[in-house]
Amino acid sequence: QRKLALHLFKDVFSQISFFAELDDLVLGEICLALRTRIYLPSDIIIYQGDIGKEFFIIAKGVVEVLQENDRAGEKPKGSNRILL
């Protein structure tokens, strides 16, 4: 199972420098723990100030990062988008 999980997610992890030094055994264990989630436009992934209990890897798509002081419906100034 570990080898299959590693095969499925190796492309995603190869683009993240944080995981670059890990061997296949450790990386495979991490891959086994991954859970795929699909978010739709305007879905909130996490709110500013929340205690993080998860680690998100955006494999495909666009994520917009809004700060608490951004008004709803207004585009924030500057580049707050993550393009993948």
Side-chain angles (χ1 to χ4, degrees):
Q1 287 179 335
R2 182 175 46 246
K3 286 182 181 179
L4 178 59
L6 182 58
H7 175 74
L8 291 172
F9 295 107
K10 188 138 186 163
D11 289 344
V12 173
F13 280 103
S14 69
Q15 298 175 24
I16 303 170
S17 60
F18 182 80
F19 297 103
E21 299 297 320
L22 297 180
D23 62 33
D24 283 355
L25 180 65
V26 173
L27 201 51
E29 290 297 321
I30 292 171
C31 290
L32 280 174
L34 292 178
R35 300 294 175 255
T36 300
R37 292 193 181 162
I38 298 172
Y39 291 95
L40 301 174
S42 77
D43 281 353
I44 304 293
I45 296 174
I46 191 169
Y47 287 96
Q48 180 178 347
D50 284 355
I51 296 174
K53 297 178 183 176
E54 299 168 300
F55 180 80
F56 292 93
I57 299 172
I58 313 303
K60 185 175 181 181
V62 176
V63 175
E64 187 170 20
V65 178
L66 300 174
Q67 295 181 355
E68 192 172 282
N69 59 355
D70 293 333
R71 295 182 185 173
E74 290 184 18
K75 294 288 183 193
K77 295 178 183 175
S79 177
N80 289 336
R81 285 182 176 254
I82 301 170
L83 304 174
L84 303 168

